[in-house]
Amino acid sequence: MNIQQDIRTQMMETVKTVKKIKPMAGSITNTVTINFVANAQLAVGGSAAMVYLPDEGAAIAKAGSAMYINVGTMFPLYEESLPLTAKTLYENKKPWVLDPAAIGIGEMRTNMLMRFKEYKPSIIRGNASEIIALAGLWSLEGGTGKSKVRGVDSTDRVCDAEEAAAALARWTSGAVAVSGEVDFITDGSMSAYSYGGSVFMEKITGAGCSLGGVMAVYSAVASPFIAALTGAAIYNVAGKRAAKKAEGPGYFQIIFLDELYKASAADIAGHEFILKDMQ
Amino acid sequence: MNIQQDIRTQMMETVKTVKKIKPMAGSITNTVTINFVANAQLAVGGSAAMVYLPDEGAAIAKAGSAMYINVGTMFPLYEESLPLTAKTLYENKKPWVLDPAAIGIGEMRTNMLMRFKEYKPSIIRGNASEIIALAGLWSLEGGTGKSKVRGVDSTDRVCDAEEAAAALARWTSGAVAVSGEVDFITDGSMSAYSYGGSVFMEKITGAGCSLGGVMAVYSAVASPFIAALTGAAIYNVAGKRAAKKAEGPGYFQIIFLDELYKASAADIAGHEFILKDMQ
Amino acid sequence: MNIQQDIRTQMMETVKTVKKIKPMAGSITNTVTINFVANAQLAVGGSAAMVYLPDEGAAIAKAGSAMYINVGTMFPLYEESLPLTAKTLYENKKPWVLDPAAIGIGEMRTNMLMRFKEYKPSIIRGNASEIIALAGLWSLEGGTGKSKVRGVDSTDRVCDAEEAAAALARWTSGAVAVSGEVDFITDGSMSAYSYGGSVFMEKITGAGCSLGGVMAVYSAVASPFIAALTGAAIYNVAGKRAAKKAEGPGYFQIIFLDELYKASAADIAGHEFILKDMQ
């Protein structure tokens, strides 16, 4: 059977199942884009629930179908909330998505990201600089403590993060998605490029965060690789369509949510992606 | 005098007075929809102020005309802030709206919601599951600790929450609003159904939260029942109008704020509601 | 040389340089409008990074080109974060913008605003009431502890805050921007009025906060006075344009972000301002 066709069938199924069962993917995420994450999760058919406290993180981890953890803005109580929630997810075999936002800023963020290594996130989503830095922090191939992270922006190219992404995916037995002009998704053996999107996605805050939240929703009903690829695909479809209607980032963000909502399973599964030749 | 007509006259007065005196309704609310709450309060003509600290909650409770408390996202300091603020509101006879968002998740949320029983919120707004669960927590009729709450979504029907709503309203001597496809508003003796809205209201986060914030604004100048009914009415008017112009949840949310702003006192007071037959 | 023309040339340069080098202006800001601040900073060509923890505030202060501190919503950890961050900015000679939002509410806010006196913010942006109250808190001319602050709204006129603004600017050797129907910008010797904007800017939350964030971006590449005037100018240009297309505050806010993005250096530098006669 054609592997690309098989992947498309799984993506189609993923989108349809989410719209049907409305899985809850809770979040511990930053306060900057928390609203956008929730609205994106709802737009694709999922259900959202955001928490901060340790016991609430654990409760949502158990009650939900998947979870999203984004370390973009750290609070002191995360010292307890994040490890407990990640541990609960890991022990209960719940899929979860890690966004190592702004890796490198502050001691607690570094400590938390270090702790996550043992709780193996199902999907890690970040920009090229963040993926390289995380692989470095976890002492994996392709990583370096010296990636060109600057705040929350990437200063590395997606292609330079492929080795780090593959190494992270092999460690977690999950998938890694590197966001950029072209998205790179890998599970350590199979890899794909997803095309599309819009330059406006870098002119709004939260395109990456909300994509992580959407991948968490999809991970509730699909393998990490398919969930990550489906998330990248719907973002690239919706981004491209919204960009055609928008003159600026404000309107773009609004119409982007509409396009997330309107994109059909066929649109998403049929969106252009290319499998990378594997050795 | 026709009671329905009398209610409409009071609603008309409520909307006009708010636009004229711009009452400040402060909030302690969740970080997910805090922006939407503030913008909705401003759109209907009120003034907003959001705080977290205990002494600030008490200060805003005293300085403002009404207040909104939503327990959607709990922080450790709420252990102090929430009871102190609620107590200050109660002792100063300031109207306040409680949104028992995500009741059932975490120990602190449960404790706080338990504490609120003695500080009798003027209006309680929630979905059917939340209202049933709160009545259960407060050991009132119609309540159960076993409502079908799942995260922040309702899994009960509005009609199944009527008894719990009435019991809560009788306890607080205030009003209770159950949000859903049809809204049910009761003060324990008089009850009304408000129609309209849009399915998009469930596809965005914060329709319920912001409605609570708007009810708080109206409660500054009207009885709890009238304030709750006026809030439900403007949301149903604006939701219906916005839905006609929107293709998705992103644009809907934006236009919904516009429609909140544009709805006239006559539009709101004239909106369809039905009084429930009372024994 | 014509001083007005010289100012326009500097404003033009400021806008162009920001779009070219994309300076990072980190923030510690309130949770209500944090998303809007980040999106406005991105729209004008800057880069954003929001933090809460003390060591992260200090790290961003050092790593970024400028910073924005807004005390709109206080958290307990700000007791450490705010003074450390402000001190780091001051010692590293990094420009920073202070927004004394809701001055007068709560003990910690007052203490923090008092502490900032020694760390001399490059730009102070507030409404008339806030500027008068801050000058009063810092025991400067034109200030009073009795300004008519009510929550986050101004109840004083911009013209009544001119003396306080000038005194604050002389103390900091920076600039002060008083926002209102007409904006007043002063560095203590030179002063300007900037016209335009829209009444909708008071019907949305965060017009002032995000303006402070944008001024921080501009302060990375210009003097405090030019940065503040350029910020006021782009806000007045974009506000005026967006208001022509909007029927309500929801759509206004979205289109306003688009207009921030679309405004050219010539539009901004050419926007009407009047220098105040100086003695």
Short mmCIF file of all heavy atoms in Angstrom, two decimals, chain C residues 98-153:
data_model
loop_
_atom_site.label_atom_id
_atom_site.label_comp_id
_atom_site.label_asym_id
_atom_site.label_seq_id
_atom_site.Cartn_x
_atom_site.Cartn_y
_atom_site.Cartn_z
N LEU C 98 7.22 52.81 31.76
CA LEU C 98 6.39 52.47 32.92
C LEU C 98 4.95 52.90 32.66
O LEU C 98 4.69 54.04 32.27
CB LEU C 98 6.89 53.19 34.17
CG LEU C 98 5.97 53.09 35.41
CD1 LEU C 98 5.83 51.65 35.88
CD2 LEU C 98 6.47 53.99 36.53
N ASP C 99 4.01 51.98 32.90
CA ASP C 99 2.60 52.32 32.87
C ASP C 99 2.06 52.13 34.29
O ASP C 99 1.93 51.00 34.75
CB ASP C 99 1.85 51.41 31.88
CG ASP C 99 0.40 51.83 31.69
OD1 ASP C 99 -0.21 52.35 32.65
OD2 ASP C 99 -0.14 51.64 30.59
N PRO C 100 1.78 53.24 34.98
CA PRO C 100 1.32 53.14 36.38
C PRO C 100 -0.17 52.84 36.46
O PRO C 100 -0.90 53.52 37.20
CB PRO C 100 1.66 54.52 36.94
CG PRO C 100 1.49 55.44 35.76
CD PRO C 100 1.90 54.64 34.54
N ALA C 101 -0.61 51.83 35.73
CA ALA C 101 -2.04 51.50 35.63
C ALA C 101 -2.67 51.29 37.00
O ALA C 101 -2.10 50.60 37.87
CB ALA C 101 -2.21 50.25 34.78
N ALA C 102 -3.84 51.90 37.16
CA ALA C 102 -4.64 51.70 38.38
C ALA C 102 -3.92 52.11 39.65
O ALA C 102 -4.17 51.57 40.73
CB ALA C 102 -5.12 50.24 38.46
N ILE C 103 -3.01 53.08 39.52
CA ILE C 103 -2.30 53.60 40.68
C ILE C 103 -3.30 53.98 41.77
O ILE C 103 -4.35 54.56 41.48
CB ILE C 103 -1.44 54.83 40.27
CG1 ILE C 103 -0.66 55.37 41.46
CG2 ILE C 103 -2.24 55.91 39.59
CD1 ILE C 103 0.36 56.45 41.08
N GLY C 104 -2.98 53.59 42.99
CA GLY C 104 -3.86 53.91 44.09
C GLY C 104 -4.61 52.71 44.64
O GLY C 104 -5.10 52.72 45.76
N ILE C 105 -4.65 51.64 43.86
CA ILE C 105 -5.33 50.43 44.33
C ILE C 105 -4.32 49.47 44.94
O ILE C 105 -3.44 48.97 44.25
CB ILE C 105 -6.06 49.71 43.17
CG1 ILE C 105 -7.15 50.61 42.61
CG2 ILE C 105 -6.66 48.39 43.64
CD1 ILE C 105 -7.84 50.05 41.38
N GLY C 106 -4.42 49.22 46.23
CA GLY C 106 -3.62 48.21 46.90
C GLY C 106 -2.26 48.72 47.35
O GLY C 106 -1.66 49.60 46.73
N GLU C 107 -1.77 48.09 48.39
CA GLU C 107 -0.51 48.52 49.02
C GLU C 107 0.70 48.18 48.16
O GLU C 107 1.62 48.98 48.03
CB GLU C 107 -0.41 47.80 50.37
CG GLU C 107 0.55 48.43 51.34
CD GLU C 107 0.67 47.61 52.61
OE1 GLU C 107 -0.33 46.93 52.99
OE2 GLU C 107 1.76 47.60 53.21
N MET C 108 0.71 46.99 47.57
CA MET C 108 1.90 46.58 46.82
C MET C 108 2.11 47.45 45.58
O MET C 108 3.24 47.82 45.26
CB MET C 108 1.80 45.12 46.38
CG MET C 108 3.12 44.62 45.82
SD MET C 108 2.96 43.13 44.82
CE MET C 108 2.71 41.93 46.11
N ARG C 109 1.03 47.78 44.92
CA ARG C 109 1.14 48.63 43.73
C ARG C 109 1.78 49.97 44.10
O ARG C 109 2.69 50.45 43.43
CB ARG C 109 -0.25 48.85 43.13
CG ARG C 109 -0.25 49.39 41.71
CD ARG C 109 -1.68 49.64 41.23
NE ARG C 109 -2.57 48.52 41.53
CZ ARG C 109 -3.15 47.74 40.62
NH1 ARG C 109 -2.95 47.97 39.34
NH2 ARG C 109 -3.94 46.76 40.97
N THR C 110 1.31 50.53 45.20
CA THR C 110 1.85 51.81 45.66
C THR C 110 3.34 51.67 45.99
O THR C 110 4.17 52.50 45.59
CB THR C 110 1.07 52.30 46.90
OG1 THR C 110 -0.30 52.42 46.54
CG2 THR C 110 1.59 53.64 47.38
N ASN C 111 3.68 50.61 46.71
CA ASN C 111 5.09 50.39 47.07
C ASN C 111 5.97 50.24 45.84
O ASN C 111 7.07 50.79 45.77
CB ASN C 111 5.24 49.11 47.92
CG ASN C 111 4.65 49.30 49.31
OD1 ASN C 111 4.40 50.43 49.73
ND2 ASN C 111 4.43 48.20 50.00
N MET C 112 5.47 49.48 44.88
CA MET C 112 6.27 49.24 43.67
C MET C 112 6.47 50.54 42.90
O MET C 112 7.58 50.86 42.46
CB MET C 112 5.58 48.21 42.78
CG MET C 112 5.58 46.80 43.33
SD MET C 112 7.25 46.17 43.59
CE MET C 112 7.35 46.20 45.38
N LEU C 113 5.40 51.30 42.75
CA LEU C 113 5.49 52.56 42.01
C LEU C 113 6.44 53.52 42.73
O LEU C 113 7.16 54.29 42.10
CB LEU C 113 4.09 53.16 41.83
CG LEU C 113 3.21 52.40 40.83
CD1 LEU C 113 1.78 52.94 40.83
CD2 LEU C 113 3.79 52.49 39.41
N MET C 114 6.45 53.45 44.05
CA MET C 114 7.38 54.28 44.83
C MET C 114 8.82 53.85 44.54
O MET C 114 9.70 54.70 44.34
CB MET C 114 7.04 54.07 46.32
CG MET C 114 7.55 55.16 47.23
SD MET C 114 6.84 56.79 46.85
CE MET C 114 8.34 57.79 46.92
N ARG C 115 9.04 52.54 44.51
CA ARG C 115 10.39 52.01 44.26
C ARG C 115 10.93 52.42 42.89
O ARG C 115 12.13 52.59 42.69
CB ARG C 115 10.40 50.47 44.33
CG ARG C 115 10.12 49.88 45.69
CD ARG C 115 11.31 50.01 46.61
NE ARG C 115 12.48 49.28 46.12
CZ ARG C 115 12.70 47.97 46.35
NH1 ARG C 115 11.83 47.27 47.04
NH2 ARG C 115 13.79 47.39 45.89
N PHE C 116 10.02 52.54 41.92
CA PHE C 116 10.45 52.86 40.55
C PHE C 116 11.06 54.26 40.45
O PHE C 116 11.76 54.55 39.49
CB PHE C 116 9.27 52.76 39.58
CG PHE C 116 8.81 51.35 39.32
CD1 PHE C 116 7.47 51.08 39.05
CD2 PHE C 116 9.71 50.29 39.33
CE1 PHE C 116 7.04 49.78 38.79
CE2 PHE C 116 9.29 48.99 39.08
CZ PHE C 116 7.95 48.73 38.82
N LYS C 117 10.79 55.09 41.44
CA LYS C 117 11.28 56.48 41.34
C LYS C 117 12.79 56.52 41.11
O LYS C 117 13.29 57.28 40.29
CB LYS C 117 10.92 57.26 42.62
CG LYS C 117 11.24 58.75 42.51
CD LYS C 117 10.93 59.51 43.79
CE LYS C 117 11.30 60.99 43.63
NZ LYS C 117 11.16 61.74 44.89
N GLU C 118 13.51 55.67 41.84
CA GLU C 118 14.97 55.70 41.73
C GLU C 118 15.50 55.05 40.45
O GLU C 118 16.64 55.27 40.06
CB GLU C 118 15.63 55.06 42.94
CG GLU C 118 15.31 53.57 43.11
CD GLU C 118 16.05 52.94 44.31
OE1 GLU C 118 17.27 53.13 44.43
OE2 GLU C 118 15.38 52.24 45.11
N TYR C 119 14.66 54.24 39.79
CA TYR C 119 15.13 53.54 38.59
C TYR C 119 14.71 54.27 37.31
O TYR C 119 14.84 53.74 36.20
CB TYR C 119 14.65 52.10 38.58
CG TYR C 119 15.12 51.34 39.79
CD1 TYR C 119 14.23 50.62 40.60
CD2 TYR C 119 16.46 51.36 40.17
CE1 TYR C 119 14.66 49.95 41.73
CE2 TYR C 119 16.91 50.68 41.30
CZ TYR C 119 15.99 49.98 42.08
OH TYR C 119 16.42 49.32 43.19
N LYS C 120 14.21 55.47 37.47
CA LYS C 120 13.95 56.40 36.38
C LYS C 120 13.54 55.81 35.03
O LYS C 120 14.37 55.69 34.12
CB LYS C 120 15.19 57.29 36.21
CG LYS C 120 15.54 58.01 37.51
CD LYS C 120 16.57 59.09 37.34
CE LYS C 120 16.68 59.86 38.68
NZ LYS C 120 17.64 60.96 38.62
N PRO C 121 12.27 55.48 34.90
CA PRO C 121 11.80 54.97 33.61
C PRO C 121 12.03 56.00 32.50
O PRO C 121 11.83 57.20 32.71
CB PRO C 121 10.31 54.73 33.83
CG PRO C 121 9.96 55.49 35.08
CD PRO C 121 11.20 55.54 35.90
N SER C 122 12.43 55.54 31.34
CA SER C 122 12.71 56.43 30.21
C SER C 122 11.44 57.12 29.73
O SER C 122 11.46 58.26 29.31
CB SER C 122 13.30 55.62 29.05
OG SER C 122 14.21 54.67 29.53
N ILE C 123 10.35 56.36 29.75
CA ILE C 123 9.05 56.91 29.37
C ILE C 123 8.02 56.48 30.41
O ILE C 123 8.01 55.33 30.83
CB ILE C 123 8.60 56.40 27.98
CG1 ILE C 123 9.61 56.81 26.89
CG2 ILE C 123 7.20 56.93 27.62
CD1 ILE C 123 9.31 56.25 25.50
N ILE C 124 7.20 57.42 30.82
CA ILE C 124 6.05 57.09 31.66
C ILE C 124 4.82 57.40 30.82
O ILE C 124 4.69 58.51 30.30
CB ILE C 124 6.03 57.92 32.96
CG1 ILE C 124 7.29 57.65 33.78
CG2 ILE C 124 4.76 57.62 33.77
CD1 ILE C 124 7.51 58.64 34.92
N ARG C 125 3.96 56.40 30.66
CA ARG C 125 2.73 56.62 29.89
C ARG C 125 1.52 56.33 30.76
O ARG C 125 1.46 55.28 31.40
CB ARG C 125 2.67 55.71 28.67
CG ARG C 125 1.56 56.14 27.67
CD ARG C 125 0.81 54.97 27.07
NE ARG C 125 0.08 54.26 28.10
CZ ARG C 125 -1.14 54.59 28.54
NH1 ARG C 125 -1.79 55.61 28.05
NH2 ARG C 125 -1.74 53.89 29.50
N GLY C 126 0.59 57.23 30.81
CA GLY C 126 -0.62 56.99 31.58
C GLY C 126 -1.70 57.95 31.17
O GLY C 126 -1.47 58.81 30.32
N ASN C 127 -2.89 57.79 31.76
CA ASN C 127 -3.91 58.79 31.52
C ASN C 127 -3.67 59.96 32.48
O ASN C 127 -2.78 59.89 33.35
CB ASN C 127 -5.32 58.20 31.62
CG ASN C 127 -5.63 57.66 33.00
OD1 ASN C 127 -5.27 58.25 34.01
ND2 ASN C 127 -6.31 56.52 33.04
N ALA C 128 -4.42 61.01 32.36
CA ALA C 128 -4.18 62.21 33.15
C ALA C 128 -4.19 61.92 34.65
O ALA C 128 -3.30 62.37 35.40
CB ALA C 128 -5.22 63.27 32.79
N SER C 129 -5.17 61.17 35.09
CA SER C 129 -5.28 60.89 36.52
C SER C 129 -4.08 60.12 37.03
O SER C 129 -3.58 60.38 38.13
CB SER C 129 -6.56 60.09 36.80
OG SER C 129 -7.71 60.86 36.47
N GLU C 130 -3.62 59.17 36.23
CA GLU C 130 -2.48 58.35 36.66
C GLU C 130 -1.20 59.19 36.73
O GLU C 130 -0.38 59.01 37.64
CB GLU C 130 -2.30 57.17 35.69
CG GLU C 130 -3.40 56.12 35.84
CD GLU C 130 -3.52 55.17 34.64
OE1 GLU C 130 -2.88 55.43 33.60
OE2 GLU C 130 -4.27 54.19 34.74
N ILE C 131 -1.02 60.07 35.76
CA ILE C 131 0.19 60.91 35.75
C ILE C 131 0.20 61.86 36.94
O ILE C 131 1.23 62.02 37.62
CB ILE C 131 0.26 61.67 34.40
CG1 ILE C 131 0.46 60.69 33.23
CG2 ILE C 131 1.37 62.73 34.44
CD1 ILE C 131 1.70 59.80 33.33
N ILE C 132 -0.94 62.45 37.22
CA ILE C 132 -1.04 63.36 38.37
C ILE C 132 -0.78 62.58 39.67
O ILE C 132 -0.04 63.04 40.54
CB ILE C 132 -2.44 64.02 38.41
CG1 ILE C 132 -2.60 64.96 37.21
CG2 ILE C 132 -2.65 64.77 39.72
CD1 ILE C 132 -4.03 65.48 37.02
N ALA C 133 -1.37 61.39 39.77
CA ALA C 133 -1.20 60.60 40.98
C ALA C 133 0.25 60.15 41.16
O ALA C 133 0.78 60.13 42.27
CB ALA C 133 -2.13 59.38 40.95
N LEU C 134 0.91 59.79 40.05
CA LEU C 134 2.31 59.35 40.16
C LEU C 134 3.21 60.51 40.59
O LEU C 134 4.09 60.34 41.45
CB LEU C 134 2.82 58.75 38.83
CG LEU C 134 4.20 58.11 38.92
CD1 LEU C 134 4.19 56.88 39.83
CD2 LEU C 134 4.74 57.71 37.55
N ALA C 135 2.98 61.67 40.01
CA ALA C 135 3.77 62.84 40.43
C ALA C 135 3.53 63.11 41.92
O ALA C 135 4.46 63.47 42.65
CB ALA C 135 3.40 64.05 39.58
N GLY C 136 2.31 62.90 42.36
CA GLY C 136 1.99 63.09 43.77
C GLY C 136 2.73 62.07 44.63
O GLY C 136 3.33 62.41 45.65
N LEU C 137 2.72 60.82 44.19
CA LEU C 137 3.38 59.76 44.94
C LEU C 137 4.88 60.03 45.03
O LEU C 137 5.52 59.71 46.03
CB LEU C 137 3.12 58.42 44.23
CG LEU C 137 3.57 57.14 44.93
CD1 LEU C 137 2.78 56.93 46.22
CD2 LEU C 137 3.40 55.93 44.01
N TRP C 138 5.44 60.60 43.98
CA TRP C 138 6.87 60.89 43.95
C TRP C 138 7.19 62.28 44.50
O TRP C 138 8.31 62.75 44.38
CB TRP C 138 7.41 60.75 42.51
CG TRP C 138 7.47 59.34 42.03
CD1 TRP C 138 7.03 58.22 42.68
CD2 TRP C 138 8.02 58.87 40.78
NE1 TRP C 138 7.25 57.10 41.91
CE2 TRP C 138 7.85 57.48 40.74
CE3 TRP C 138 8.61 59.51 39.67
CZ2 TRP C 138 8.27 56.70 39.66
CZ3 TRP C 138 9.02 58.75 38.60
CH2 TRP C 138 8.86 57.35 38.59
N SER C 139 6.17 62.93 45.06
CA SER C 139 6.34 64.27 45.67
C SER C 139 6.91 65.28 44.69
O SER C 139 7.79 66.07 45.02
CB SER C 139 7.25 64.19 46.90
OG SER C 139 6.79 63.21 47.79
N LEU C 140 6.39 65.25 43.46
CA LEU C 140 6.84 66.21 42.45
C LEU C 140 5.76 67.25 42.21
O LEU C 140 4.60 67.06 42.58
CB LEU C 140 7.18 65.47 41.14
CG LEU C 140 8.24 64.38 41.24
CD1 LEU C 140 8.38 63.65 39.92
CD2 LEU C 140 9.59 64.97 41.67
N GLU C 141 6.17 68.34 41.57
CA GLU C 141 5.22 69.40 41.25
C GLU C 141 4.07 68.91 40.38
O GLU C 141 4.27 68.11 39.48
CB GLU C 141 5.92 70.48 40.41
CG GLU C 141 6.75 71.48 41.17
CD GLU C 141 7.50 72.33 40.17
OE1 GLU C 141 6.86 73.17 39.53
OE2 GLU C 141 8.72 72.10 39.99
N GLY C 142 2.92 69.48 40.62
CA GLY C 142 1.77 69.15 39.77
C GLY C 142 1.06 67.88 40.19
O GLY C 142 0.02 67.53 39.66
N GLY C 143 1.68 67.16 41.11
CA GLY C 143 1.08 65.91 41.54
C GLY C 143 0.25 66.10 42.79
O GLY C 143 0.36 67.10 43.47
N THR C 144 -0.56 65.14 43.03
CA THR C 144 -1.36 65.15 44.24
C THR C 144 -1.76 63.73 44.55
O THR C 144 -1.95 62.92 43.65
CB THR C 144 -2.63 66.01 44.08
OG1 THR C 144 -3.55 65.66 45.13
CG2 THR C 144 -3.32 65.76 42.74
N GLY C 145 -1.85 63.42 45.81
CA GLY C 145 -2.33 62.09 46.21
C GLY C 145 -3.82 62.01 46.00
O GLY C 145 -4.43 60.97 46.16
N LYS C 146 -4.39 63.11 45.63
CA LYS C 146 -5.86 63.16 45.54
C LYS C 146 -6.38 63.29 44.11
O LYS C 146 -7.42 63.89 43.88
CB LYS C 146 -6.38 64.32 46.38
CG LYS C 146 -6.06 64.20 47.86
CD LYS C 146 -6.72 65.29 48.67
CE LYS C 146 -6.35 65.20 50.15
NZ LYS C 146 -4.90 65.30 50.41
N SER C 147 -5.64 62.77 43.12
CA SER C 147 -6.15 62.84 41.75
C SER C 147 -7.42 62.00 41.69
O SER C 147 -7.64 61.11 42.51
CB SER C 147 -5.13 62.29 40.75
OG SER C 147 -5.27 60.90 40.64
N LYS C 148 -8.23 62.29 40.71
CA LYS C 148 -9.53 61.62 40.64
C LYS C 148 -9.47 60.26 39.95
O LYS C 148 -10.26 59.96 39.07
CB LYS C 148 -10.54 62.54 39.93
CG LYS C 148 -10.86 63.80 40.73
CD LYS C 148 -11.62 64.80 39.88
CE LYS C 148 -10.84 66.10 39.66
NZ LYS C 148 -11.31 66.89 38.54
N VAL C 149 -8.49 59.44 40.31
CA VAL C 149 -8.38 58.10 39.75
C VAL C 149 -9.58 57.27 40.19
O VAL C 149 -9.99 57.31 41.33
CB VAL C 149 -7.10 57.39 40.25
CG1 VAL C 149 -7.08 55.96 39.78
CG2 VAL C 149 -5.86 58.13 39.80
N ARG C 150 -10.19 56.56 39.25
CA ARG C 150 -11.24 55.60 39.60
C ARG C 150 -10.96 54.34 38.83
O ARG C 150 -11.22 54.27 37.65
CB ARG C 150 -12.63 56.12 39.23
CG ARG C 150 -13.74 55.21 39.78
CD ARG C 150 -15.08 55.46 39.11
NE ARG C 150 -15.06 55.04 37.72
CZ ARG C 150 -16.18 54.75 37.03
NH1 ARG C 150 -17.35 54.85 37.59
NH2 ARG C 150 -16.11 54.39 35.76
N GLY C 151 -10.39 53.35 39.55
CA GLY C 151 -10.03 52.12 38.86
C GLY C 151 -9.00 52.43 37.79
O GLY C 151 -7.98 53.02 38.08
N VAL C 152 -9.30 52.06 36.56
CA VAL C 152 -8.35 52.28 35.47
C VAL C 152 -8.78 53.44 34.57
O VAL C 152 -8.19 53.68 33.54
CB VAL C 152 -8.16 51.01 34.63
CG1 VAL C 152 -7.48 49.94 35.47
CG2 VAL C 152 -9.49 50.49 34.12
N ASP C 153 -9.84 54.14 34.95
CA ASP C 153 -10.31 55.25 34.12
C ASP C 153 -9.73 56.57 34.60
O ASP C 153 -9.45 56.76 35.77
CB ASP C 153 -11.84 55.36 34.20
CG ASP C 153 -12.51 54.11 33.70
OD1 ASP C 153 -11.96 53.49 32.78
OD2 ASP C 153 -13.55 53.73 34.26
#
